[in-house]
mmCIF file of all heavy atoms in Angstrom:
data_model
loop_
_atom_site.group_PDB
_atom_site.id
_atom_site.type_symbol
_atom_site.label_atom_id
_atom_site.label_comp_id
_atom_site.label_asym_id
_atom_site.label_seq_id
_atom_site.Cartn_x
_atom_site.Cartn_y
_atom_site.Cartn_z
ATOM 1 N N SER A 512 -36.976 34.892 8.777
ATOM 2 C CA SER A 512 -36.564 34.841 10.216
ATOM 3 C C SER A 512 -37.783 34.914 11.070
ATOM 4 O O SER A 512 -38.857 35.364 10.665
ATOM 5 C CB SER A 512 -35.555 35.882 10.605
ATOM 6 O OG SER A 512 -35.703 37.044 9.847
ATOM 7 N N PRO A 513 -37.765 34.332 12.221
ATOM 8 C CA PRO A 513 -38.923 34.247 13.136
ATOM 9 C C PRO A 513 -39.536 35.553 13.473
ATOM 10 O O PRO A 513 -38.815 36.382 14.158
ATOM 11 C CB PRO A 513 -38.388 33.472 14.362
ATOM 12 C CG PRO A 513 -37.009 33.039 14.023
ATOM 13 C CD PRO A 513 -36.518 33.797 12.935
ATOM 14 N N THR A 514 -40.675 35.926 12.931
ATOM 15 C CA THR A 514 -41.357 37.131 13.271
ATOM 16 C C THR A 514 -42.805 36.992 13.565
ATOM 17 O O THR A 514 -43.435 37.719 14.311
ATOM 18 C CB THR A 514 -41.211 38.144 12.099
ATOM 19 O OG1 THR A 514 -41.589 37.442 10.893
ATOM 20 C CG2 THR A 514 -39.808 38.675 11.995
ATOM 21 N N LYS A 515 -43.426 35.941 12.993
ATOM 22 C CA LYS A 515 -44.907 35.770 13.114
ATOM 23 C C LYS A 515 -45.163 34.912 14.377
ATOM 24 O O LYS A 515 -44.274 34.085 14.704
ATOM 25 C CB LYS A 515 -45.482 35.126 11.948
ATOM 26 C CG LYS A 515 -45.192 35.940 10.678
ATOM 27 C CD LYS A 515 -46.096 37.152 10.568
ATOM 28 C CE LYS A 515 -45.872 37.902 9.308
ATOM 29 N NZ LYS A 515 -46.580 39.143 9.152
ATOM 30 N N SER A 516 -46.331 34.947 14.851
ATOM 31 C CA SER A 516 -46.609 34.126 16.078
ATOM 32 C C SER A 516 -46.481 32.621 15.758
ATOM 33 O O SER A 516 -45.958 31.909 16.556
ATOM 34 C CB SER A 516 -48.081 34.433 16.545
ATOM 35 O OG SER A 516 -48.972 34.057 15.559
ATOM 36 N N TYR A 517 -46.795 32.267 14.543
ATOM 37 C CA TYR A 517 -46.709 30.804 14.190
ATOM 38 C C TYR A 517 -45.317 30.344 13.898
ATOM 39 O O TYR A 517 -45.063 29.148 13.803
ATOM 40 C CB TYR A 517 -47.653 30.507 13.003
ATOM 41 C CG TYR A 517 -47.404 31.309 11.751
ATOM 42 C CD1 TYR A 517 -46.374 31.055 10.933
ATOM 43 C CD2 TYR A 517 -48.282 32.367 11.447
ATOM 44 C CE1 TYR A 517 -46.147 31.814 9.765
ATOM 45 C CE2 TYR A 517 -48.058 33.137 10.266
ATOM 46 C CZ TYR A 517 -47.016 32.859 9.488
ATOM 47 O OH TYR A 517 -46.726 33.597 8.313
ATOM 48 N N ASP A 518 -44.290 31.297 13.753
ATOM 49 C CA ASP A 518 -42.945 30.813 13.619
ATOM 50 C C ASP A 518 -41.991 31.518 14.562
ATOM 51 O O ASP A 518 -40.800 31.514 14.327
ATOM 52 C CB ASP A 518 -42.485 30.964 12.142
ATOM 53 C CG ASP A 518 -42.454 32.275 11.612
ATOM 54 O OD1 ASP A 518 -42.430 33.285 12.392
ATOM 55 O OD2 ASP A 518 -42.451 32.534 10.336
ATOM 56 N N ILE A 519 -42.557 31.973 15.602
ATOM 57 C CA ILE A 519 -41.738 32.770 16.601
ATOM 58 C C ILE A 519 -40.632 31.955 17.231
ATOM 59 O O ILE A 519 -39.622 32.489 17.619
ATOM 60 C CB ILE A 519 -42.680 33.483 17.615
ATOM 61 C CG1 ILE A 519 -42.009 34.618 18.352
ATOM 62 C CG2 ILE A 519 -43.188 32.432 18.645
ATOM 63 C CD1 ILE A 519 -41.828 35.799 17.390
ATOM 64 N N ASN A 520 -40.840 30.685 17.281
ATOM 65 C CA ASN A 520 -39.755 29.868 17.838
ATOM 66 C C ASN A 520 -38.823 29.147 16.744
ATOM 67 O O ASN A 520 -38.091 28.237 17.006
ATOM 68 C CB ASN A 520 -40.271 28.761 18.734
ATOM 69 C CG ASN A 520 -40.725 29.365 20.107
ATOM 70 O OD1 ASN A 520 -39.965 30.077 20.683
ATOM 71 N ND2 ASN A 520 -41.944 29.016 20.553
ATOM 72 N N GLY A 521 -38.943 29.646 15.549
ATOM 73 C CA GLY A 521 -38.092 29.247 14.442
ATOM 74 C C GLY A 521 -38.790 28.958 13.162
ATOM 75 O O GLY A 521 -39.926 28.565 13.088
ATOM 76 N N CYS A 522 -38.076 29.388 12.118
ATOM 77 C CA CYS A 522 -38.470 29.045 10.754
ATOM 78 C C CYS A 522 -37.733 27.726 10.345
ATOM 79 O O CYS A 522 -36.562 27.821 10.028
ATOM 80 C CB CYS A 522 -38.153 30.190 9.761
ATOM 81 S SG CYS A 522 -38.990 31.669 10.164
ATOM 82 N N TRP A 523 -38.378 26.635 10.536
ATOM 83 C CA TRP A 523 -37.708 25.366 10.387
ATOM 84 C C TRP A 523 -37.760 24.852 8.951
ATOM 85 O O TRP A 523 -38.246 25.584 8.107
ATOM 86 C CB TRP A 523 -38.309 24.341 11.397
ATOM 87 C CG TRP A 523 -37.996 24.630 12.800
ATOM 88 C CD1 TRP A 523 -37.185 25.607 13.290
ATOM 89 C CD2 TRP A 523 -38.413 23.923 13.965
ATOM 90 N NE1 TRP A 523 -37.042 25.577 14.614
ATOM 91 C CE2 TRP A 523 -37.811 24.510 15.105
ATOM 92 C CE3 TRP A 523 -39.219 22.814 14.160
ATOM 93 C CZ2 TRP A 523 -38.014 24.039 16.394
ATOM 94 C CZ3 TRP A 523 -39.462 22.348 15.447
ATOM 95 C CH2 TRP A 523 -38.823 22.940 16.567
ATOM 96 N N SER A 524 -37.277 23.590 8.762
ATOM 97 C CA SER A 524 -36.928 23.161 7.379
ATOM 98 C C SER A 524 -38.151 23.112 6.501
ATOM 99 O O SER A 524 -39.306 22.990 6.891
ATOM 100 C CB SER A 524 -36.341 21.824 7.512
ATOM 101 O OG SER A 524 -34.990 21.939 7.959
ATOM 102 N N GLY A 525 -37.835 23.147 5.236
ATOM 103 C CA GLY A 525 -38.866 23.045 4.200
ATOM 104 C C GLY A 525 -38.206 23.025 2.826
ATOM 105 O O GLY A 525 -37.010 22.848 2.664
ATOM 106 N N SER A 526 -39.030 23.201 1.763
ATOM 107 C CA SER A 526 -38.597 22.909 0.410
ATOM 108 C C SER A 526 -39.112 23.964 -0.589
ATOM 109 O O SER A 526 -40.065 24.667 -0.235
ATOM 110 C CB SER A 526 -39.148 21.559 -0.020
ATOM 111 O OG SER A 526 -38.723 20.491 0.881
ATOM 112 N N ALA A 527 -38.518 23.939 -1.700
ATOM 113 C CA ALA A 527 -38.955 24.872 -2.805
ATOM 114 C C ALA A 527 -39.670 24.049 -3.807
ATOM 115 O O ALA A 527 -39.286 22.911 -4.127
ATOM 116 C CB ALA A 527 -37.813 25.583 -3.410
ATOM 117 N N THR A 528 -40.718 24.628 -4.469
ATOM 118 C CA THR A 528 -41.357 24.030 -5.524
ATOM 119 C C THR A 528 -41.425 25.180 -6.660
ATOM 120 O O THR A 528 -41.694 26.249 -6.315
ATOM 121 C CB THR A 528 -42.869 23.606 -5.209
ATOM 122 O OG1 THR A 528 -42.731 22.658 -4.119
ATOM 123 C CG2 THR A 528 -43.556 22.951 -6.348
ATOM 124 N N ILE A 529 -41.195 24.749 -7.857
ATOM 125 C CA ILE A 529 -41.414 25.759 -8.950
ATOM 126 C C ILE A 529 -42.822 25.585 -9.488
ATOM 127 O O ILE A 529 -43.177 24.485 -10.099
ATOM 128 C CB ILE A 529 -40.353 25.543 -10.086
ATOM 129 C CG1 ILE A 529 -38.924 25.470 -9.568
ATOM 130 C CG2 ILE A 529 -40.509 26.642 -11.168
ATOM 131 C CD1 ILE A 529 -38.315 26.796 -9.013
ATOM 132 N N LEU A 530 -43.688 26.573 -9.177
ATOM 133 C CA LEU A 530 -45.088 26.464 -9.676
ATOM 134 C C LEU A 530 -45.200 26.854 -11.165
ATOM 135 O O LEU A 530 -44.268 27.372 -11.783
ATOM 136 C CB LEU A 530 -45.934 27.361 -8.778
ATOM 137 C CG LEU A 530 -45.840 27.178 -7.231
ATOM 138 C CD1 LEU A 530 -46.718 28.210 -6.524
ATOM 139 C CD2 LEU A 530 -46.238 25.734 -6.901
ATOM 140 N N HIS A 531 -46.422 26.651 -11.697
ATOM 141 C CA HIS A 531 -46.679 26.982 -13.112
ATOM 142 C C HIS A 531 -46.257 28.450 -13.327
ATOM 143 O O HIS A 531 -46.415 29.310 -12.477
ATOM 144 C CB HIS A 531 -48.252 26.862 -13.425
ATOM 145 C CG HIS A 531 -48.784 25.473 -13.062
ATOM 146 N ND1 HIS A 531 -48.320 24.385 -13.715
ATOM 147 C CD2 HIS A 531 -49.640 25.064 -12.119
ATOM 148 C CE1 HIS A 531 -49.013 23.303 -13.241
ATOM 149 N NE2 HIS A 531 -49.751 23.691 -12.279
ATOM 150 N N GLY A 532 -45.705 28.667 -14.495
ATOM 151 C CA GLY A 532 -45.254 30.022 -14.821
ATOM 152 C C GLY A 532 -43.881 30.320 -14.231
ATOM 153 O O GLY A 532 -43.562 31.480 -14.078
ATOM 154 N N ASN A 533 -43.123 29.258 -13.877
ATOM 155 C CA ASN A 533 -41.806 29.488 -13.332
ATOM 156 C C ASN A 533 -41.810 30.338 -12.070
ATOM 157 O O ASN A 533 -40.997 31.241 -11.934
ATOM 158 C CB ASN A 533 -40.800 29.962 -14.402
ATOM 159 C CG ASN A 533 -39.365 29.803 -13.990
ATOM 160 O OD1 ASN A 533 -39.082 28.846 -13.287
ATOM 161 N ND2 ASN A 533 -38.455 30.685 -14.497
ATOM 162 N N LYS A 534 -42.794 30.037 -11.173
ATOM 163 C CA LYS A 534 -42.834 30.841 -9.948
ATOM 164 C C LYS A 534 -42.334 29.947 -8.732
ATOM 165 O O LYS A 534 -43.085 29.062 -8.371
ATOM 166 C CB LYS A 534 -44.195 31.295 -9.715
ATOM 167 C CG LYS A 534 -44.720 32.267 -10.664
ATOM 168 C CD LYS A 534 -46.145 32.721 -10.432
ATOM 169 C CE LYS A 534 -46.553 33.750 -11.473
ATOM 170 N NZ LYS A 534 -48.018 33.651 -11.726
ATOM 171 N N PRO A 535 -41.259 30.289 -8.105
ATOM 172 C CA PRO A 535 -40.778 29.490 -6.912
ATOM 173 C C PRO A 535 -41.669 29.777 -5.744
ATOM 174 O O PRO A 535 -42.150 30.913 -5.544
ATOM 175 C CB PRO A 535 -39.370 29.952 -6.690
ATOM 176 C CG PRO A 535 -39.113 30.991 -7.639
ATOM 177 C CD PRO A 535 -40.311 31.369 -8.425
ATOM 178 N N ALA A 536 -41.873 28.750 -4.923
ATOM 179 C CA ALA A 536 -42.629 28.869 -3.666
ATOM 180 C C ALA A 536 -41.902 28.086 -2.686
ATOM 181 O O ALA A 536 -41.415 26.979 -2.899
ATOM 182 C CB ALA A 536 -44.005 28.339 -3.888
ATOM 183 N N LEU A 537 -41.875 28.610 -1.390
ATOM 184 C CA LEU A 537 -41.253 27.933 -0.263
ATOM 185 C C LEU A 537 -42.264 27.477 0.695
ATOM 186 O O LEU A 537 -43.131 28.275 1.114
ATOM 187 C CB LEU A 537 -40.244 28.830 0.450
ATOM 188 C CG LEU A 537 -39.064 29.428 -0.315
ATOM 189 C CD1 LEU A 537 -38.292 30.398 0.574
ATOM 190 C CD2 LEU A 537 -38.261 28.343 -0.948
ATOM 191 N N LEU A 538 -42.226 26.217 1.034
ATOM 192 C CA LEU A 538 -43.051 25.753 2.133
ATOM 193 C C LEU A 538 -42.094 25.411 3.316
ATOM 194 O O LEU A 538 -41.109 24.807 3.117
ATOM 195 C CB LEU A 538 -43.848 24.456 1.752
ATOM 196 C CG LEU A 538 -45.029 24.661 0.771
ATOM 197 C CD1 LEU A 538 -45.565 23.317 0.280
ATOM 198 C CD2 LEU A 538 -46.140 25.471 1.460
ATOM 199 N N TYR A 539 -42.472 25.868 4.466
ATOM 200 C CA TYR A 539 -41.540 25.641 5.644
ATOM 201 C C TYR A 539 -42.419 25.410 6.898
ATOM 202 O O TYR A 539 -43.595 25.787 6.904
ATOM 203 C CB TYR A 539 -40.641 26.793 5.826
ATOM 204 C CG TYR A 539 -41.214 28.076 6.358
ATOM 205 C CD1 TYR A 539 -41.182 28.394 7.723
ATOM 206 C CD2 TYR A 539 -41.958 28.985 5.559
ATOM 207 C CE1 TYR A 539 -41.797 29.515 8.208
ATOM 208 C CE2 TYR A 539 -42.532 30.083 6.040
ATOM 209 C CZ TYR A 539 -42.439 30.375 7.377
ATOM 210 O OH TYR A 539 -43.030 31.486 7.858
ATOM 211 N N THR A 540 -41.748 24.876 7.910
ATOM 212 C CA THR A 540 -42.380 24.634 9.190
ATOM 213 C C THR A 540 -42.130 25.800 10.099
ATOM 214 O O THR A 540 -41.060 26.232 10.276
ATOM 215 C CB THR A 540 -41.841 23.385 9.835
ATOM 216 O OG1 THR A 540 -42.180 22.237 8.962
ATOM 217 C CG2 THR A 540 -42.449 23.124 11.163
ATOM 218 N N GLY A 541 -43.210 26.331 10.591
ATOM 219 C CA GLY A 541 -43.094 27.374 11.651
ATOM 220 C C GLY A 541 -43.202 26.656 13.046
ATOM 221 O O GLY A 541 -44.082 25.795 13.287
ATOM 222 N N ALA A 542 -42.287 26.984 13.897
ATOM 223 C CA ALA A 542 -42.372 26.553 15.317
ATOM 224 C C ALA A 542 -43.069 27.652 16.108
ATOM 225 O O ALA A 542 -42.382 28.726 16.275
ATOM 226 C CB ALA A 542 -41.030 26.170 15.799
#
Side-chain angles (χ1 to χ4, degrees):
S512 30
T514 47
K515 302 286 184 185
S516 61
Y517 55 78
D518 62 20
I519 200 68
N520 284 314
C522 298
W523 288 359
S524 286
S526 302
T528 302
I529 310 288
L530 304 179
H531 303 297
N533 198 27
K534 294 180 180 150
L537 302 179
L538 287 172
Y539 72 98
T540 297

